[in-house]
Amino acid sequence: MVVDTTPKILVVDDDPAIRNLVHRFLNQKYQVDSAADGDRALALFEEFKPVLVILDWNLPDTTGYYLCQEMQRRTNVFVVMLSSRTDEVDKIKALSAGADDYICKPFGLAELAVRIEVVLRRIRSVTPSRIVFDRFAIDPVRREVTLNGKIIKLTALEFNILYFFASHPGESWTRQQLIEKIWGWNCDDTGEEQVLTVHIGQIRKKMIQVDATGSQFIQTVRGYGYRFDPPDRTPMAIC
């Protein structure tokens, strides 16, 4: 039996014109299913098991904000949020909920295709080496991070960011360098830097919620960028 390894994408939008257009367009390259509301989206999410969800902010029975959090509570699925809202606060709220990208309506299909490819590229950006620093461990095979034996629940992108940091202890990185290394493309947009800043803030928050000492790990290098600074910069194990 041949198993289809083409990435699965779930499209969730209550506008039939947008939903059908995006479905047909992406179906040329990916396995695609679609839903018009939150209830159907969650049912398909469990049945279809997508690697990425294209999610409208406004739905008739719920919000994309809630669905994003609920889906990522179940798996580390990637989420690209669609919205007609252009305010910065709305974008930050979506990213804080765990969205990997945010696209304002109206949008072009070519732009959507590029953004999806960039997000999916992150699946391949982590090499299978487990890293341990004393009481902090990060396992890319299980995609699990623990601090003092407690699991830190991260989104897929947050995991990749933290893994990259842990792979380069004590090294300082500019925001542009981090975007290039983690996103896989050159950064010439301050909006992308803001996305990175929001995600790093979320990682810090989640680490502190598990253990207050988690605030020590990702340091801001004033006027430059960030540095991963565990208590002991030499990993006890990389395997």
Side-chain angles (χ1 to χ4, degrees), residues 67 84 106 223 230:
L67 277 185
S84 56

Side-chain angles (χ1 to χ4, degrees), residues 7-221:
K8 294 181 178 181
I9 297 178
L10 176 62
V11 180
V12 185
D13 198 307
D14 65 331
D15 186 325
I18 294 177
R19 184 177 67 253
N20 294 334
L21 178 65
V22 173
H23 188 135
R24 288 196 301 270
F25 175 72
L26 295 179
N27 203 45
Q28 301 174 63
K29 187 175 181 180
Y30 305 101
Q31 298 182 67
V32 184
D33 210 334
S34 56
D37 57 55
D39 284 342
R40 180 58 178 159
L42 286 176
L44 277 176
F45 183 78
E46 293 295 334
E47 176 186 336
F48 187 53
K49 301 188 185 308
V51 69
L52 183 146
V53 179
I54 297 173
L55 183 59
D56 187 31
W57 179 280
N58 293 312
L59 295 168
D61 57 345
T62 187
T63 65
Y65 179 84
Y66 166 77
L67 277 185
C68 181
Q69 291 186 311
E70 178 60 23
M71 289 175 175
Q72 292 196 332
R73 185 184 66 80
R74 302 181 187 190
T75 73
N76 60 356
V77 67
F78 292 108
V79 175
V80 174
M81 194 79 76
L82 303 178
S83 179
S84 56
R85 304 184 182 194
T86 58
D87 290 344
E88 181 178 343
V89 65
D90 292 318
K91 183 175 183 179
I92 292 175
K93 184 176 181 181
L95 295 171
S96 297
D100 297 275
D101 204 347
Y102 185 96
I103 302 177
C104 294
K105 297 180 179 180
F107 57 88
L109 292 176
E111 176 191 3
L112 178 63
V114 170
R115 288 179 177 263
I116 288 172
E117 177 59 30
V118 169
V119 170
L120 291 179
R121 196 181 302 151
R122 297 171 195 163
I123 298 174
R124 305 185 293 273
S125 65
V126 176
T127 54
S129 297
R130 185 171 182 267
I131 301 174
V132 180
F133 292 90
D134 190 18
R135 52 199 170 78
F136 173 83
I138 181 165
D139 186 337
V141 175
R142 300 179 64 180
R143 295 191 72 82
E144 184 176 274
V145 179
T146 56
L147 179 59
N148 282 338
K150 300 176 182 178
I151 294 177
I152 303 170
K153 295 183 179 180
L154 301 174
T155 68
L157 178 55
E158 289 167 356
F159 181 93
N160 286 5
I161 292 171
L162 186 55
Y163 185 88
F164 179 82
F165 274 127
S167 301
H168 303 84
E171 296 183 31
S172 297
W173 300 86
T174 66
R175 290 172 177 83
Q176 293 90 341
Q177 288 173 332
L178 288 169
I179 289 169
E180 182 178 350
K181 294 291 186 180
I182 298 165
W183 269 252
W185 61 1
N186 293 326
C187 173
D188 56 3
D189 183 358
T190 56
E192 296 296 335
E193 293 185 24
Q194 182 185 55
V195 170
L196 174 68
T197 300
V198 170
H199 283 297
I200 289 178
Q202 286 296 108
I203 294 170
R204 284 170 163 166
K205 179 180 178 181
K206 291 177 179 181
M207 292 182 76
I208 292 171
Q209 287 174 342
V210 168
D211 191 303
T213 60
S215 61
Q216 305 170 9
F217 287 77
I218 300 179
Q219 298 288 332
T220 298
V221 181

